[in-house]
Amino acid sequence: MRENSNSMHGGQQPQKHYGITSSISMAFPREVDHQYTHKLSEAMKPFGVFEDEDELNHRLAVLGKLNTFVKEWIAEISETKNLPPSTITNVGGKIFTFGSYRLGVHTKGADIDALCVSPRHVERTDFFDSFFAKLKLHEEIKDLRAVEDAFVPVIKFKFDGIEIDLLFARLALQSIPDNLDLRGDSHLRNLDIRCIRSLNGCRVTDEILYLVPNKENFRLTLRAIKLWAKRRGIYSNMLGFLGGVSWAMLVARTCQLYPNAVAATLVHKFFLVFSKWEWPNPVLLKQPEDSNLNLPVWDPRVNPSDRYHLMPIITPAYPQQNSTYNVSSSTRTIMSEEFKYGLSVTDDILQGKTDWSKLFQPPNFFLKYKHYIVLTASASTEENQLEWIGLVESKIRVLVGNLERNEYITLAHVNPTSFPGNKESCSENEFVSMWFIGIIFKKVENAESVNIDLTYDIQSFTDTVYRQANNINMLKDGMKIEATHVKKKQLHQYLPVELVQRKKRLNRNSNGGSSKRSSLDGSQLDSSRDTDSGTPFSSPTSVCKPSRPAASDTDDRWVLLTENQGDLTQLECSIIHWVFHPQASPPAGSTIPTVVGRSVVPCLGSSRDTSGPTEQNQNGATAAAKRPHSPTQDGPPKRIRDPADLVRGSGPWRDILGGVKAMPIPTIDTSRTQRLPSMELPDVTSPLPSSNHQRVVKNSIRLALNRHR
């Protein structure tokens, strides 16, 4: 736990600790580090990541108006409920912000996530009835809509041109003072679950800001990492990558490990730390605390489903949750490659070999793979299409999970960007959106050809989408999903030629980990004979198990860095290596990161289980069993390293997480289907829509891959 939240100045104060361990380096920036930081800031300006002063003032003015508006409404509601005049005068009410705006990293034109906090006598129904009606009468408010039955209920609108998503929570207080601090866990007492969910965004954001040593360095670094993630196509919580809060927590952890570093150094250290991170070790900004409020928290000791999370990043506010439960084996593999690519590029930048613009160059997704699935969602009206693509996109990660479990598929990579349909192939009254999923097929030794059937994988996905749409009464005439397998050379039929055309001078390393990708994609099954047809499909409540990636480089391949890369040295790499492999001898002359207030006793034994013939993927996680066409269970259950031990502090993370005793590793049957939150998918027993005008077409996707000679 951090001792002090203030930034350090000079070397006069005693060393402070941030997060759950001591820092890796307390070095202060040099003049050249400030120069690189200035260049980084300049490189981001063309991408619109900074608002000018007029835009910032406009946002402040809008939020001020909204705050006054809320106080007026709460006073009016209080009067209708016969509260005494003295109480009404002091009843209060307040607007809190969270997300990118609260963190100070919002971009031009970004929306504002806000929370309306009211006293206990104001009901949620009041918010969606009388407050909604009051908003409707305001001349500066446009595009007003309420989503009352959402997982986190929200009112969306534009206030003087600024988009706002407004949540609601009532506290068990008689009045809401202007200086209210939501970080206290006591505010959660006697609240319904929807209020707790609504409060969570503000509480997590405030806790992150409290736990970083220098807010300005954190903000500039986070701006850079978010821009990089968006440009590289790995910014989407919905599709199984990371969302804004997850990226913020990774940057915050980097700031804790290098508390005095400036942004240019922190960006480099970010890639260093997370290119070496051994998932599924969790990222924690503080020791989890139990507030005895009996709320569900992320805890693999108690919740077996938490042990299957592949890339856990745990929110610092109670109740602690994993913000990355959507991450799949494929998305983790892709992000891990991108971390390594980022490290390689920032190495070159800090050696003067290139500039910051290279870090923000996007990869060409449509040149990476030989095979693609084209997923098409269409509707007969624009309004229906907006609803339809929202539902389809929210379930694409289910399709990725289905493909990952296919025995012939090594990796399924969805491009977060959707594309409009080809006007030539679409009817005049049809609105179409397309997503593309890159596929890497597994090497098949000693086989001239192999027939691959993706029908089950696609059909089960589309069944889920249609069933969900039917359950919530969204399904309308003309809503369709189609899936087609295409080869890279056929993409020009769907996309503009500039997206699929190879550039004359293409940097072979621009995909960030091309060496690994080329080995994955260097399949012996090269030429393919397509026997697939377009398909509308959907899927039941299946979930992502880790697929079997190709073998990666060994854990002991560490980058040796030169002297002109700042304070990053071979010793530092050895320290990071020792963090994950404490059975190795600590580097001589090193100061190993320790838990605050504890002595470090290096573990002499490893907690890894070597008793069984398990397979390891490149991130250290045991690969899950594949299925030929439907889930099966082959052989005895495999033993994997239990993330529960990471929380209670055994094994290699004993000193990082502050545990005392090593705990036994439980046996987990990884061949069984993993959990998916019940609110994500409908009941699999729900009937598919069967009305005459809602025909669900079920074609097949089959292809034959021939050995490349």
Side-chain angles (χ1 to χ4, degrees), residues 212-322:
V212 295
N214 184 301
K215 292 181 178 61
E216 292 309 310
N217 290 339
F218 163 75
R219 284 173 176 142
L220 186 55
T221 306
L222 181 54
R223 284 186 186 276
I225 294 302
K226 288 181 68 172
L227 176 60
W228 164 80
K230 290 174 182 178
R231 298 285 291 173
R232 301 298 296 180
I234 55 174
Y235 190 104
S236 175
N237 177 60
M238 184 184 295
L239 294 176
F241 296 105
L242 303 190
V245 69
S246 298
W247 291 116
M249 287 189 286
L250 293 188
V251 171
R253 187 70 187 112
T254 307
C255 292
Q256 290 178 339
L257 294 173
Y258 300 89
N260 298 316
V262 291
T265 305
L266 287 168
V267 169
H268 183 225
K269 303 303 188 186
F270 172 91
F271 292 119
L272 171 69
V273 170
F274 293 108
S275 65
K276 308 300 183 188
W277 199 272
E278 291 192 348
W279 307 104
N281 293 321
V283 175
L284 297 162
L285 297 182
K286 59 184 284 190
Q287 287 286 7
E289 298 172 354
D290 188 1
S291 295
N292 297 317
L293 297 178
N294 200 29
L295 295 174
V297 298
W298 184 86
D299 189 345
R301 298 169 299 179
V302 177
N303 309 315
S305 62
D306 291 346
R307 302 171 194 171
Y308 292 101
H309 293 180
L310 301 180
M311 200 173 177
I313 302 172
I314 310 306
T315 56
Y318 180 84
Q320 297 85 9
Q321 302 293 319
N322 176 22

Side-chain angles (χ1 to χ4, degrees), residues 24-30 32-33 257-262 265-266 268-269 272 350 561-573 575:
I24 290 178
S25 171
M26 298 293 294
F28 286 88
R30 304 161 300 166
V32 68
D33 298 324
L257 294 173
Y258 300 89
N260 298 316
V262 291
T265 305
L266 287 168
H268 183 225
K269 303 303 188 186
L272 171 69
L350 298 186
L561 300 147
T562 58
E563 293 178 359
N564 60 353
Q565 295 184 47
D567 63 315
L568 179 61
T569 63
Q570 181 177 354
L571 175 60
E572 182 181 32
C573 287
I575 292 174

Side-chain angles (χ1 to χ4, degrees), residues 377-381 384-385 388 429-431 466 475-481 693-695:
S378 58
S380 55
T381 69
N384 288 350
Q385 178 67 355
W388 187 229
N429 297 322
E430 191 176 32
F431 295 85
Y466 282 120
L475 196 59
K476 298 179 178 66
D477 189 20
M479 290 182 171
K480 296 184 297 183
I481 316 174
H693 66 286
Q694 302 295 352
R695 184 173 67 92

Side-chain angles (χ1 to χ4, degrees), residues 447-465:
E448 292 298 321
S449 66
V450 61
N451 295 317
I452 299 175
D453 188 352
L454 302 181
T455 304
Y456 173 86
D457 305 318
I458 306 296
Q459 182 173 309
S460 61
F461 159 71
T462 53
D463 282 350
T464 293
V465 179

Side-chain angles (χ1 to χ4, degrees), residues 117-159:
V117 175
S118 77
R120 62 192 180 192
H121 61 272
V122 180
E123 303 283 346
R124 182 175 296 276
T125 53
D126 297 327
F127 178 73
F128 283 98
D129 292 339
S130 62
F131 184 69
F132 185 84
K134 188 176 177 69
L135 288 171
K136 192 181 292 186
L137 298 175
H138 199 292
E139 61 181 10
E140 291 184 292
I141 291 179
K142 310 293 183 186
D143 300 336
L144 180 65
R145 57 204 185 279
V147 190
E148 192 171 355
D149 57 351
F151 185 68
V152 182
V154 61
I155 293 179
K156 296 172 175 281
F157 54 92
K158 280 187 179 179
F159 196 142

Side-chain angles (χ1 to χ4, degrees), residues 354-374:
T354 187
D355 56 31
W356 286 106
S357 63
K358 183 178 180 182
L359 184 66
F360 305 123
Q361 289 177 356
N364 194 325
F365 175 83
F366 300 104
L367 297 179
K368 284 186 177 181
Y369 303 103
K370 298 177 183 178
H371 302 272
Y372 294 84
I373 298 293
V374 183

